[in-house]
Amino acid sequence: MTSPRLLACAMVTLVALTACTSSPGEPVVGPATAGGTVGTGQRSGGPVSSPAAATLTPDEYRAELEEARGPVRAEVKKLAATGGLKTLGKQLQKTSGAVEGAVTRLSALAPPAEVKAQHDSYVEALGRLRTSFDTALQDAEEQRVCTGPAVLTGMAQADQLSDVEDVAKTLSGYPASVIPVKAVKERDRRLSNGSFIASEGRPGRAYLELRNGTKQDAVVVLVRGKKKAITVYVRRKSNFKIRGVRDGSYKIYYTLGEDWDAKARTFTRSCTFEQFGKTVRFKTTHTATQIRWTDWTITLHAVSGGTVKPKKVKPGDFPT
């Protein structure tokens, strides 16, 4: 006959085999619950926390700062060289990501005690800088800002660059600056009305009149086939005639905006890109007694009775 003690053990082993084999001081494994994990019968004095980071020496902290800020400085330099909307959004994402990486890395450090307060303020300032780059990305997506230098100019005006740089200076003796370029002041660069940015020979008889009744300057591009034939600047509230247009069929593109960057060949603020919704054909006809040709007039603004609607163009598809 089985003893009561052995019977009790047999009954318990249906739940947990180790319940009868534990020795004094060892954890006792309890029953597992459906969908959960096996518990322990050992008592604990509270939650287990990860060990605190060891306090860094000044040299170790300096090396960590260099590693953290290096990618940020590199991406800010690339942003300062980004000349148009085609790549601006992607570069802003990379810059924001680099700042986020620096915040993550530095947040886990235990800096030397004498700069603990400055370090914490620096990490907070970097977090604000990342938010500023995220806001700039929204502005770029909505085409309020159109180049990397314009992004930095706007951030400088809002003291978003000096904010982090001023905090970086409080880490005296440590490399903490993350803005390696100087943002220029906001500008409003313009060409004179009718300035040709590019132009092939114009031996034709016809003219194309461009009327810009908008509140922004415009750059108009005539494309014949796959070739840019003429690019001309037309100021706001102004008209201009391109004379001697060569025969052929032209697609006409135009960009409107503020502050023309001649090097980047784009407006830096409030830029839009459109295509005239109709191909314009110039043809000269010779007869025995006369020569005939057709002149065209295009308005870049909405007019009563207008028959052609413009088409939006992606920045990367605009012929620069």
Side-chain angles (χ1 to χ4, degrees):
M1 180 174 178
T2 307
S3 66
R5 178 181 177 82
L6 291 176
L7 179 60
C9 185
M11 292 174 63
V12 172
T13 55
L14 294 175
V15 178
L17 291 174
T18 56
C20 293
T21 59
S22 61
S23 29
E26 291 183 347
V28 179
V29 178
T33 57
T37 58
V38 177
T40 176
Q42 187 175 11
R43 293 188 178 183
S44 171
V48 178
S49 58
S50 57
T55 301
L56 300 175
T57 66
D59 285 344
E60 290 171 337
Y61 182 54
R62 185 173 291 106
E64 287 288 348
L65 284 173
E66 288 283 17
E67 288 293 328
R69 76 180 187 132
V72 178
R73 290 172 63 85
E75 295 302 335
V76 171
K77 282 184 179 180
K78 292 177 183 178
L79 178 62
T82 302
L85 279 176
K86 184 177 181 179
T87 57
L88 180 58
K90 184 177 294 185
Q91 183 55 48
L92 280 167
Q93 289 176 339
K94 290 182 178 178
T95 308
S96 177
V99 179
E100 178 63 22
V103 171
T104 301
R105 184 185 187 109
L106 295 175
S107 296
L109 300 182
E114 64 271 15
V115 293
K116 175 66 166 63
Q118 295 91 325
H119 170 84
D120 291 344
S121 296
Y122 180 59
V123 173
E124 291 177 1
L126 285 173
R128 293 192 295 272
L129 182 66
R130 182 193 61 78
T131 300
S132 297
F133 281 124
D134 289 343
T135 300
L137 176 59
Q138 294 178 2
D139 290 339
E141 289 173 346
E142 296 174 9
Q143 298 180 196
R144 289 192 291 267
V145 62
C146 312
T147 66
V151 167
L152 295 174
T153 294
M155 292 177 68
Q157 285 183 321
D159 295 327
Q160 293 164 341
L161 301 183
S162 60
D163 174 36
V164 68
E165 291 296 273
D166 289 345
V167 176
K169 291 176 183 177
T170 67
L171 285 166
S172 180
Y174 291 99
S177 171
V178 293
I179 308 298
V181 297
K182 184 177 180 180
V184 300
K185 294 182 178 180
E186 184 174 281
R187 293 176 285 183
D188 188 18
R189 292 166 288 182
R190 307 172 72 194
L191 300 181
S192 58
N193 189 54
S195 294
F196 285 99
I197 297 170
S199 178
E200 64 178 8
R202 299 191 302 280
R205 295 177 177 271
Y207 69 74
L208 171 64
E209 182 175 7
L210 303 169
R211 296 180 179 178
N212 181 12
T214 73
K215 297 179 180 180
Q216 295 177 305
D217 287 2
V219 170
V220 183
V221 182
L222 278 64
V223 176
R224 187 180 63 250
K226 295 183 178 181
K227 179 183 178 182
K228 291 179 292 182
I230 300 171
T231 304
V232 65
Y233 195 98
V234 185
R235 286 195 169 197
R236 55 182 175 261
K237 304 296 182 181
S238 300
N239 304 331
F240 181 72
K241 286 183 179 180
I242 303 174
R243 298 184 181 277
V245 179
R246 187 189 298 268
D247 284 0
S249 295
Y250 294 82
K251 292 180 180 178
I252 300 177
Y253 298 82
Y254 54 95
T255 175
L256 301 165
E258 300 172 12
D259 183 42
W260 177 253
D261 185 336
K263 183 178 180 180
R265 299 173 75 90
T266 188
F267 290 105
T268 70
R269 300 187 305 274
S270 303
C271 55
T272 59
F273 304 88
E274 297 181 349
Q275 178 186 351
F276 189 66
K278 178 180 179 180
T279 298
V280 177
R281 187 184 183 195
F282 291 88
K283 182 179 180 180
T284 303
T285 303
H286 296 262
T287 68
T289 58
Q290 59 184 335
I291 303 174
R292 290 187 175 183
W293 66 89
T294 303
D295 299 318
W296 287 87
T297 297
I298 291 177
T299 61
L300 307 184
H301 56 280
V303 293
S304 177
T307 57
V308 180
K309 292 184 178 180
K311 297 187 294 185
K312 293 291 184 182
V313 175
K314 294 180 180 178
D317 295 335
F318 189 84
T320 57

